[in-house]
């Protein structure tokens, strides 16, 4: 009987010692006894890295992106009668106007991009063609501003692709699809502009939604794609959807800023 009691006491002391040790370790943990740690910033929690210098890969719609098409050449764009009328009134003398470099048309231009963080909650996209700057803001609120070519862009991370995602983009000769997620951006408060440089219009009522995704390319290169949807109740029927691709550049040696013509 004495042996059983001794054993029980030993276990009791051991259990108490373990609990005391656990409590001590918990007390030493960061934030213990205080307020919870703040959530990581959008920059710190980014599931993919879009920073760097990139060049557009024109692998679709070459004739409408690399050269200025003639007036009235706008197949594939679901224009309303009002949109068609405005497109048919385009003056070729205005070719190169900054209207072609608004948010809804900029990423389709043959251009190089510089993408960097302005702060922990703002991504900046700069283009050398047209010399435009877009600011993609995560969370928070912003004071109302007048409509502009680049509008107001609200960004959020989408974490829908787990590591080893079998539905990621895989290109023959490239490595496995990158884990993480994508970047969603919704842009409003636009001043209107052109979807194509031959005056195919979008109005100030337009809303643009973008999804940015990273992917590996052959020979160790890196790329990203942006799928863009433009909805405009004034000049478009339904949605105008495009997919645009970029390849990372090793440096900025080919960066060649060229301004657009003032509106």
């Amino acid at each position: 009987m004495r042996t059983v009691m001794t054993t029980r006491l030993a276990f009791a002391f051991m259990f108490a010692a373990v609990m005391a040790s656990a409590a001590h370790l918990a007390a030493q943990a960061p934030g213990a006894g205080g307020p919870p740690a703040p959530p990581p910033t959008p920059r710190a929690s980014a599931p993919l890295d879009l920073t760097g210098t990139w060049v557009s890969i024109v692998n679709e719609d070459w004739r409408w992106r690399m050269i200025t098409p003639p007036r009235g050449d706008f197949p594939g764009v679901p224009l309303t009668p009002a949109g068609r009328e405005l497109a048919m009134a385009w003056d070729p003398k205005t070719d190169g106007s900054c209207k072609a470099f608004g948010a809804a048309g900029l990423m389709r231009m043959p251009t190089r991009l510089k993408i960097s963080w302005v702060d922990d909650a703002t991504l900046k996209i700069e283009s050398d063609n047209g010399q435009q700057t877009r600011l993609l803001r995560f969370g928070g609120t912003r004071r109302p501003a007048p409509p502009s070519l680049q509008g107001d862009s609200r960004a959020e991370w989408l974490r829908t692709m787990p590591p080893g995602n079998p539905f990621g983009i895989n290109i023959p000769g490239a490595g496995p699809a990158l884990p993480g997620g994508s970047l969603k951006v919704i842009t409003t408060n636009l001043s209107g502009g052109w979807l194509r440089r031959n005056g195919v219009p979008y109005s100030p009522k337009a809303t643009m939604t973008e999804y940015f995704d990273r992917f590996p390319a052959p020979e160790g290169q890196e790329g990203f794609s942006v799928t863009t949807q433009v909805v405009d109740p004034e000049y478009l029927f339904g949605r105008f959807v495009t997919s645009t691709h970029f390849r990372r550049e090793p440096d900025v040696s080919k960066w060649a800023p060229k301004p657009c013509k003032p509106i």
Side-chain angles (χ1 to χ4, degrees), residues 187-216:
T187 301
T188 56
N189 200 32
L190 294 160
S191 58
W194 299 343
L195 294 169
R196 291 178 179 168
R197 63 177 80 184
N198 62 337
V200 179
Y202 63 91
S203 79
K205 299 178 182 178
T207 297
M208 181 176 70
T209 303
E210 300 166 285
Y211 296 90
F212 292 74
D213 295 283
R214 280 279 307 276
F215 61 87

PDB file of all heavy atoms in Angstrom, residues 187-216:
ATOM      1  N   THR A 187     -10.304  48.198 -60.178  1.00  0.00           N
ATOM      2  CA  THR A 187     -10.027  49.613 -60.447  1.00  0.00           C
ATOM      3  C   THR A 187     -11.303  50.327 -60.881  1.00  0.00           C
ATOM      4  O   THR A 187     -12.005  49.878 -61.791  1.00  0.00           O
ATOM      5  CB  THR A 187      -8.957  49.754 -61.544  1.00  0.00           C
ATOM      6  OG1 THR A 187      -7.751  49.094 -61.120  1.00  0.00           O
ATOM      7  CG2 THR A 187      -8.642  51.217 -61.823  1.00  0.00           C
ATOM      8  N   THR A 188     -11.571  51.434 -60.209  1.00  0.00           N
ATOM      9  CA  THR A 188     -12.721  52.278 -60.518  1.00  0.00           C
ATOM     10  C   THR A 188     -12.248  53.734 -60.560  1.00  0.00           C
ATOM     11  O   THR A 188     -11.053  54.010 -60.504  1.00  0.00           O
ATOM     12  CB  THR A 188     -13.829  52.113 -59.457  1.00  0.00           C
ATOM     13  OG1 THR A 188     -13.278  52.408 -58.158  1.00  0.00           O
ATOM     14  CG2 THR A 188     -14.377  50.686 -59.447  1.00  0.00           C
ATOM     15  N   ASN A 189     -13.202  54.665 -60.621  1.00  0.00           N
ATOM     16  CA  ASN A 189     -12.905  56.099 -60.626  1.00  0.00           C
ATOM     17  C   ASN A 189     -11.994  56.480 -61.799  1.00  0.00           C
ATOM     18  O   ASN A 189     -11.078  57.292 -61.660  1.00  0.00           O
ATOM     19  CB  ASN A 189     -12.272  56.529 -59.300  1.00  0.00           C
ATOM     20  CG  ASN A 189     -12.385  58.027 -59.046  1.00  0.00           C
ATOM     21  OD1 ASN A 189     -13.350  58.662 -59.470  1.00  0.00           O
ATOM     22  ND2 ASN A 189     -11.401  58.593 -58.367  1.00  0.00           N
ATOM     23  N   LEU A 190     -12.273  55.869 -62.944  1.00  0.00           N
ATOM     24  CA  LEU A 190     -11.492  56.146 -64.151  1.00  0.00           C
ATOM     25  C   LEU A 190     -12.073  57.347 -64.899  1.00  0.00           C
ATOM     26  O   LEU A 190     -13.274  57.620 -64.839  1.00  0.00           O
ATOM     27  CB  LEU A 190     -11.491  54.915 -65.061  1.00  0.00           C
ATOM     28  CG  LEU A 190     -10.774  53.684 -64.512  1.00  0.00           C
ATOM     29  CD1 LEU A 190     -11.238  52.423 -65.237  1.00  0.00           C
ATOM     30  CD2 LEU A 190      -9.264  53.860 -64.645  1.00  0.00           C
ATOM     31  N   SER A 191     -11.213  58.023 -65.638  1.00  0.00           N
ATOM     32  CA  SER A 191     -11.667  59.160 -66.430  1.00  0.00           C
ATOM     33  C   SER A 191     -12.062  58.743 -67.842  1.00  0.00           C
ATOM     34  O   SER A 191     -12.462  59.583 -68.646  1.00  0.00           O
ATOM     35  CB  SER A 191     -10.568  60.228 -66.493  1.00  0.00           C
ATOM     36  OG  SER A 191      -9.377  59.689 -67.045  1.00  0.00           O
ATOM     37  N   GLY A 192     -11.953  57.458 -68.142  1.00  0.00           N
ATOM     38  CA  GLY A 192     -12.239  56.991 -69.493  1.00  0.00           C
ATOM     39  C   GLY A 192     -10.975  56.982 -70.335  1.00  0.00           C
ATOM     40  O   GLY A 192      -9.956  57.606 -69.999  1.00  0.00           O
ATOM     41  N   GLY A 193     -11.010  56.233 -71.430  1.00  0.00           N
ATOM     42  CA  GLY A 193      -9.842  56.138 -72.296  1.00  0.00           C
ATOM     43  C   GLY A 193     -10.101  55.169 -73.426  1.00  0.00           C
ATOM     44  O   GLY A 193     -11.258  54.961 -73.822  1.00  0.00           O
ATOM     45  N   TRP A 194      -9.025  54.566 -73.935  1.00  0.00           N
ATOM     46  CA  TRP A 194      -9.139  53.656 -75.069  1.00  0.00           C
ATOM     47  C   TRP A 194      -8.675  52.256 -74.674  1.00  0.00           C
ATOM     48  O   TRP A 194      -7.644  52.087 -74.018  1.00  0.00           O
ATOM     49  CB  TRP A 194      -8.273  54.143 -76.223  1.00  0.00           C
ATOM     50  CG  TRP A 194      -8.636  55.485 -76.758  1.00  0.00           C
ATOM     51  CD1 TRP A 194      -9.806  56.190 -76.572  1.00  0.00           C
ATOM     52  CD2 TRP A 194      -7.811  56.318 -77.598  1.00  0.00           C
ATOM     53  NE1 TRP A 194      -9.769  57.391 -77.223  1.00  0.00           N
ATOM     54  CE2 TRP A 194      -8.550  57.501 -77.868  1.00  0.00           C
ATOM     55  CE3 TRP A 194      -6.546  56.180 -78.143  1.00  0.00           C
ATOM     56  CZ2 TRP A 194      -8.050  58.525 -78.662  1.00  0.00           C
ATOM     57  CZ3 TRP A 194      -6.037  57.195 -78.931  1.00  0.00           C
ATOM     58  CH2 TRP A 194      -6.790  58.363 -79.190  1.00  0.00           C
ATOM     59  N   LEU A 195      -9.439  51.261 -75.127  1.00  0.00           N
ATOM     60  CA  LEU A 195      -9.028  49.871 -74.944  1.00  0.00           C
ATOM     61  C   LEU A 195      -7.957  49.486 -75.954  1.00  0.00           C
ATOM     62  O   LEU A 195      -7.128  48.608 -75.702  1.00  0.00           O
ATOM     63  CB  LEU A 195     -10.237  48.943 -75.093  1.00  0.00           C
ATOM     64  CG  LEU A 195     -11.326  49.087 -74.020  1.00  0.00           C
ATOM     65  CD1 LEU A 195     -12.571  48.311 -74.431  1.00  0.00           C
ATOM     66  CD2 LEU A 195     -10.802  48.594 -72.669  1.00  0.00           C
ATOM     67  N   ARG A 196      -8.021  50.106 -77.125  1.00  0.00           N
ATOM     68  CA  ARG A 196      -7.007  49.929 -78.163  1.00  0.00           C
ATOM     69  C   ARG A 196      -6.606  51.299 -78.664  1.00  0.00           C
ATOM     70  O   ARG A 196      -7.383  52.262 -78.589  1.00  0.00           O
ATOM     71  CB  ARG A 196      -7.535  49.051 -79.310  1.00  0.00           C
ATOM     72  CG  ARG A 196      -7.749  47.599 -78.908  1.00  0.00           C
ATOM     73  CD  ARG A 196      -8.311  46.772 -80.039  1.00  0.00           C
ATOM     74  NE  ARG A 196      -8.479  45.375 -79.629  1.00  0.00           N
ATOM     75  CZ  ARG A 196      -9.161  44.469 -80.319  1.00  0.00           C
ATOM     76  NH1 ARG A 196      -9.737  44.821 -81.470  1.00  0.00           N
ATOM     77  NH2 ARG A 196      -9.276  43.228 -79.873  1.00  0.00           N
ATOM     78  N   ARG A 197      -5.414  51.369 -79.202  1.00  0.00           N
ATOM     79  CA  ARG A 197      -4.869  52.687 -79.527  1.00  0.00           C
ATOM     80  C   ARG A 197      -5.565  53.362 -80.706  1.00  0.00           C
ATOM     81  O   ARG A 197      -5.263  54.531 -81.001  1.00  0.00           O
ATOM     82  CB  ARG A 197      -3.363  52.580 -79.768  1.00  0.00           C
ATOM     83  CG  ARG A 197      -2.978  51.719 -80.950  1.00  0.00           C
ATOM     84  CD  ARG A 197      -1.471  51.730 -81.152  1.00  0.00           C
ATOM     85  NE  ARG A 197      -0.814  50.824 -80.225  1.00  0.00           N
ATOM     86  CZ  ARG A 197       0.513  50.689 -80.135  1.00  0.00           C
ATOM     87  NH1 ARG A 197       1.306  51.436 -80.889  1.00  0.00           N
ATOM     88  NH2 ARG A 197       1.037  49.828 -79.305  1.00  0.00           N
ATOM     89  N   ASN A 198      -6.479  52.666 -81.399  1.00  0.00           N
ATOM     90  CA  ASN A 198      -7.231  53.306 -82.483  1.00  0.00           C
ATOM     91  C   ASN A 198      -8.583  53.823 -82.007  1.00  0.00           C
ATOM     92  O   ASN A 198      -9.561  53.841 -82.746  1.00  0.00           O
ATOM     93  CB  ASN A 198      -7.409  52.352 -83.664  1.00  0.00           C
ATOM     94  CG  ASN A 198      -8.210  51.106 -83.292  1.00  0.00           C
ATOM     95  OD1 ASN A 198      -8.281  50.730 -82.125  1.00  0.00           O
ATOM     96  ND2 ASN A 198      -8.797  50.450 -84.291  1.00  0.00           N
ATOM     97  N   GLY A 199      -8.641  54.238 -80.743  1.00  0.00           N
ATOM     98  CA  GLY A 199      -9.800  54.957 -80.244  1.00  0.00           C
ATOM     99  C   GLY A 199     -10.965  54.109 -79.779  1.00  0.00           C
ATOM    100  O   GLY A 199     -12.057  54.644 -79.576  1.00  0.00           O
ATOM    101  N   VAL A 200     -10.772  52.790 -79.574  1.00  0.00           N
ATOM    102  CA  VAL A 200     -11.853  51.947 -79.060  1.00  0.00           C
ATOM    103  C   VAL A 200     -12.086  52.340 -77.599  1.00  0.00           C
ATOM    104  O   VAL A 200     -11.207  52.154 -76.752  1.00  0.00           O
ATOM    105  CB  VAL A 200     -11.490  50.462 -79.175  1.00  0.00           C
ATOM    106  CG1 VAL A 200     -12.613  49.595 -78.616  1.00  0.00           C
ATOM    107  CG2 VAL A 200     -11.205  50.106 -80.638  1.00  0.00           C
ATOM    108  N   PRO A 201     -13.255  52.871 -77.250  1.00  0.00           N
ATOM    109  CA  PRO A 201     -13.393  53.570 -75.969  1.00  0.00           C
ATOM    110  C   PRO A 201     -13.854  52.704 -74.797  1.00  0.00           C
ATOM    111  O   PRO A 201     -14.469  51.658 -74.949  1.00  0.00           O
ATOM    112  CB  PRO A 201     -14.471  54.609 -76.277  1.00  0.00           C
ATOM    113  CG  PRO A 201     -15.384  53.877 -77.222  1.00  0.00           C
ATOM    114  CD  PRO A 201     -14.478  53.011 -78.074  1.00  0.00           C
ATOM    115  N   TYR A 202     -13.536  53.187 -73.602  1.00  0.00           N
ATOM    116  CA  TYR A 202     -14.240  52.801 -72.381  1.00  0.00           C
ATOM    117  C   TYR A 202     -14.564  54.098 -71.643  1.00  0.00           C
ATOM    118  O   TYR A 202     -13.840  55.093 -71.777  1.00  0.00           O
ATOM    119  CB  TYR A 202     -13.424  51.837 -71.509  1.00  0.00           C
ATOM    120  CG  TYR A 202     -12.119  52.373 -70.968  1.00  0.00           C
ATOM    121  CD1 TYR A 202     -12.057  53.017 -69.733  1.00  0.00           C
ATOM    122  CD2 TYR A 202     -10.936  52.240 -71.689  1.00  0.00           C
ATOM    123  CE1 TYR A 202     -10.858  53.508 -69.232  1.00  0.00           C
ATOM    124  CE2 TYR A 202      -9.736  52.723 -71.198  1.00  0.00           C
ATOM    125  CZ  TYR A 202      -9.695  53.344 -69.981  1.00  0.00           C
ATOM    126  OH  TYR A 202      -8.503  53.834 -69.482  1.00  0.00           O
ATOM    127  N   SER A 203     -15.649  54.098 -70.903  1.00  0.00           N
ATOM    128  CA  SER A 203     -16.161  55.336 -70.307  1.00  0.00           C
ATOM    129  C   SER A 203     -15.755  55.460 -68.843  1.00  0.00           C
ATOM    130  O   SER A 203     -15.228  54.514 -68.239  1.00  0.00           O
ATOM    131  CB  SER A 203     -17.685  55.357 -70.414  1.00  0.00           C
ATOM    132  OG  SER A 203     -18.262  54.532 -69.398  1.00  0.00           O
ATOM    133  N   PRO A 204     -16.030  56.602 -68.220  1.00  0.00           N
ATOM    134  CA  PRO A 204     -15.769  56.760 -66.782  1.00  0.00           C
ATOM    135  C   PRO A 204     -16.587  55.812 -65.905  1.00  0.00           C
ATOM    136  O   PRO A 204     -16.290  55.664 -64.713  1.00  0.00           O
ATOM    137  CB  PRO A 204     -16.147  58.221 -66.519  1.00  0.00           C
ATOM    138  CG  PRO A 204     -15.953  58.901 -67.834  1.00  0.00           C
ATOM    139  CD  PRO A 204     -16.379  57.886 -68.854  1.00  0.00           C
ATOM    140  N   LYS A 205     -17.605  55.159 -66.481  1.00  0.00           N
ATOM    141  CA  LYS A 205     -18.408  54.201 -65.724  1.00  0.00           C
ATOM    142  C   LYS A 205     -17.772  52.815 -65.666  1.00  0.00           C
ATOM    143  O   LYS A 205     -18.307  51.913 -65.017  1.00  0.00           O
ATOM    144  CB  LYS A 205     -19.809  54.093 -66.341  1.00  0.00           C
ATOM    145  CG  LYS A 205     -20.600  55.393 -66.332  1.00  0.00           C
ATOM    146  CD  LYS A 205     -21.953  55.204 -67.012  1.00  0.00           C
ATOM    147  CE  LYS A 205     -22.722  56.504 -67.058  1.00  0.00           C
ATOM    148  NZ  LYS A 205     -24.039  56.335 -67.759  1.00  0.00           N
ATOM    149  N   ALA A 206     -16.658  52.638 -66.339  1.00  0.00           N
ATOM    150  CA  ALA A 206     -16.041  51.314 -66.441  1.00  0.00           C
ATOM    151  C   ALA A 206     -15.453  50.857 -65.104  1.00  0.00           C
ATOM    152  O   ALA A 206     -14.956  51.659 -64.309  1.00  0.00           O
ATOM    153  CB  ALA A 206     -14.952  51.323 -67.504  1.00  0.00           C
ATOM    154  N   THR A 207     -15.510  49.551 -64.886  1.00  0.00           N
ATOM    155  CA  THR A 207     -14.840  48.897 -63.761  1.00  0.00           C
ATOM    156  C   THR A 207     -13.927  47.819 -64.320  1.00  0.00           C
ATOM    157  O   THR A 207     -14.341  47.022 -65.173  1.00  0.00           O
ATOM    158  CB  THR A 207     -15.864  48.260 -62.795  1.00  0.00           C
ATOM    159  OG1 THR A 207     -16.681  49.274 -62.230  1.00  0.00           O
ATOM    160  CG2 THR A 207     -15.154  47.511 -61.675  1.00  0.00           C
ATOM    161  N   MET A 208     -12.703  47.790 -63.847  1.00  0.00           N
ATOM    162  CA  MET A 208     -11.727  46.809 -64.320  1.00  0.00           C
ATOM    163  C   MET A 208     -11.327  45.885 -63.173  1.00  0.00           C
ATOM    164  O   MET A 208     -10.985  46.347 -62.087  1.00  0.00           O
ATOM    165  CB  MET A 208     -10.486  47.508 -64.881  1.00  0.00           C
ATOM    166  CG  MET A 208      -9.428  46.545 -65.409  1.00  0.00           C
ATOM    167  SD  MET A 208      -8.025  47.394 -66.181  1.00  0.00           S
ATOM    168  CE  MET A 208      -7.238  48.148 -64.746  1.00  0.00           C
ATOM    169  N   THR A 209     -11.368  44.570 -63.420  1.00  0.00           N
ATOM    170  CA  THR A 209     -10.938  43.571 -62.447  1.00  0.00           C
ATOM    171  C   THR A 209      -9.780  42.781 -63.044  1.00  0.00           C
ATOM    172  O   THR A 209      -9.876  42.315 -64.183  1.00  0.00           O
ATOM    173  CB  THR A 209     -12.088  42.620 -62.084  1.00  0.00           C
ATOM    174  OG1 THR A 209     -13.198  43.370 -61.596  1.00  0.00           O
ATOM    175  CG2 THR A 209     -11.649  41.627 -61.013  1.00  0.00           C
ATOM    176  N   GLU A 210      -8.695  42.656 -62.282  1.00  0.00           N
ATOM    177  CA  GLU A 210      -7.502  41.963 -62.763  1.00  0.00           C
ATOM    178  C   GLU A 210      -7.100  40.862 -61.795  1.00  0.00           C
ATOM    179  O   GLU A 210      -7.258  40.986 -60.582  1.00  0.00           O
ATOM    180  CB  GLU A 210      -6.332  42.933 -62.913  1.00  0.00           C
ATOM    181  CG  GLU A 210      -6.562  44.064 -63.890  1.00  0.00           C
ATOM    182  CD  GLU A 210      -5.505  45.161 -63.729  1.00  0.00           C
ATOM    183  OE1 GLU A 210      -5.599  45.913 -62.743  1.00  0.00           O
ATOM    184  OE2 GLU A 210      -4.606  45.239 -64.575  1.00  0.00           O
ATOM    185  N   TYR A 211      -6.501  39.800 -62.352  1.00  0.00           N
ATOM    186  CA  TYR A 211      -5.921  38.717 -61.566  1.00  0.00           C
ATOM    187  C   TYR A 211      -4.489  38.501 -62.053  1.00  0.00           C
ATOM    188  O   TYR A 211      -4.260  38.161 -63.220  1.00  0.00           O
ATOM    189  CB  TYR A 211      -6.737  37.431 -61.726  1.00  0.00           C
ATOM    190  CG  TYR A 211      -8.139  37.533 -61.184  1.00  0.00           C
ATOM    191  CD1 TYR A 211      -9.193  37.954 -62.003  1.00  0.00           C
ATOM    192  CD2 TYR A 211      -8.411  37.242 -59.846  1.00  0.00           C
ATOM    193  CE1 TYR A 211     -10.482  38.071 -61.502  1.00  0.00           C
ATOM    194  CE2 TYR A 211      -9.710  37.357 -59.342  1.00  0.00           C
ATOM    195  CZ  TYR A 211     -10.729  37.767 -60.173  1.00  0.00           C
ATOM    196  OH  TYR A 211     -12.009  37.883 -59.672  1.00  0.00           O
ATOM    197  N   PHE A 212      -3.534  38.735 -61.153  1.00  0.00           N
ATOM    198  CA  PHE A 212      -2.112  38.562 -61.470  1.00  0.00           C
ATOM    199  C   PHE A 212      -1.650  37.198 -60.943  1.00  0.00           C
ATOM    200  O   PHE A 212      -1.882  36.864 -59.779  1.00  0.00           O
ATOM    201  CB  PHE A 212      -1.269  39.647 -60.801  1.00  0.00           C
ATOM    202  CG  PHE A 212      -1.485  41.043 -61.329  1.00  0.00           C
ATOM    203  CD1 PHE A 212      -2.647  41.752 -61.022  1.00  0.00           C
ATOM    204  CD2 PHE A 212      -0.524  41.661 -62.122  1.00  0.00           C
ATOM    205  CE1 PHE A 212      -2.845  43.047 -61.487  1.00  0.00           C
ATOM    206  CE2 PHE A 212      -0.707  42.961 -62.583  1.00  0.00           C
ATOM    207  CZ  PHE A 212      -1.876  43.654 -62.271  1.00  0.00           C
ATOM    208  N   ASP A 213      -0.949  36.435 -61.791  1.00  0.00           N
ATOM    209  CA  ASP A 213      -0.425  35.124 -61.397  1.00  0.00           C
ATOM    210  C   ASP A 213       1.013  34.971 -61.886  1.00  0.00           C
ATOM    211  O   ASP A 213       1.341  35.370 -63.012  1.00  0.00           O
ATOM    212  CB  ASP A 213      -1.273  33.990 -61.988  1.00  0.00           C
ATOM    213  CG  ASP A 213      -2.688  33.964 -61.430  1.00  0.00           C
ATOM    214  OD1 ASP A 213      -2.840  33.498 -60.294  1.00  0.00           O
ATOM    215  OD2 ASP A 213      -3.616  34.415 -62.124  1.00  0.00           O
ATOM    216  N   ARG A 214       1.863  34.395 -61.045  1.00  0.00           N
ATOM    217  CA  ARG A 214       3.244  34.095 -61.420  1.00  0.00           C
ATOM    218  C   ARG A 214       3.318  32.703 -62.024  1.00  0.00           C
ATOM    219  O   ARG A 214       2.560  31.810 -61.658  1.00  0.00           O
ATOM    220  CB  ARG A 214       4.142  34.147 -60.178  1.00  0.00           C
ATOM    221  CG  ARG A 214       4.561  35.535 -59.748  1.00  0.00           C
ATOM    222  CD  ARG A 214       5.726  36.083 -60.560  1.00  0.00           C
ATOM    223  NE  ARG A 214       6.840  35.167 -60.584  1.00  0.00           N
ATOM    224  CZ  ARG A 214       7.773  35.085 -59.633  1.00  0.00           C
ATOM    225  NH1 ARG A 214       7.680  35.867 -58.568  1.00  0.00           N
ATOM    226  NH2 ARG A 214       8.767  34.229 -59.737  1.00  0.00           N
ATOM    227  N   PHE A 215       4.291  32.499 -62.933  1.00  0.00           N
ATOM    228  CA  PHE A 215       4.512  31.158 -63.476  1.00  0.00           C
ATOM    229  C   PHE A 215       5.976  31.024 -63.898  1.00  0.00           C
ATOM    230  O   PHE A 215       6.630  32.014 -64.244  1.00  0.00           O
ATOM    231  CB  PHE A 215       3.580  30.871 -64.660  1.00  0.00           C
ATOM    232  CG  PHE A 215       3.759  31.802 -65.840  1.00  0.00           C
ATOM    233  CD1 PHE A 215       4.689  31.536 -66.832  1.00  0.00           C
ATOM    234  CD2 PHE A 215       2.976  32.943 -65.957  1.00  0.00           C
ATOM    235  CE1 PHE A 215       4.849  32.382 -67.911  1.00  0.00           C
ATOM    236  CE2 PHE A 215       3.132  33.809 -67.039  1.00  0.00           C
ATOM    237  CZ  PHE A 215       4.070  33.523 -68.019  1.00  0.00           C
ATOM    238  N   PRO A 216       6.509  29.796 -63.849  1.00  0.00           N
ATOM    239  CA  PRO A 216       7.881  29.571 -64.305  1.00  0.00           C
ATOM    240  C   PRO A 216       7.904  29.442 -65.827  1.00  0.00           C
ATOM    241  O   PRO A 216       6.939  28.984 -66.440  1.00  0.00           O
ATOM    242  CB  PRO A 216       8.261  28.245 -63.632  1.00  0.00           C
ATOM    243  CG  PRO A 216       6.959  27.525 -63.511  1.00  0.00           C
ATOM    244  CD  PRO A 216       5.908  28.590 -63.268  1.00  0.00           C
TER     245      PRO A 216
END
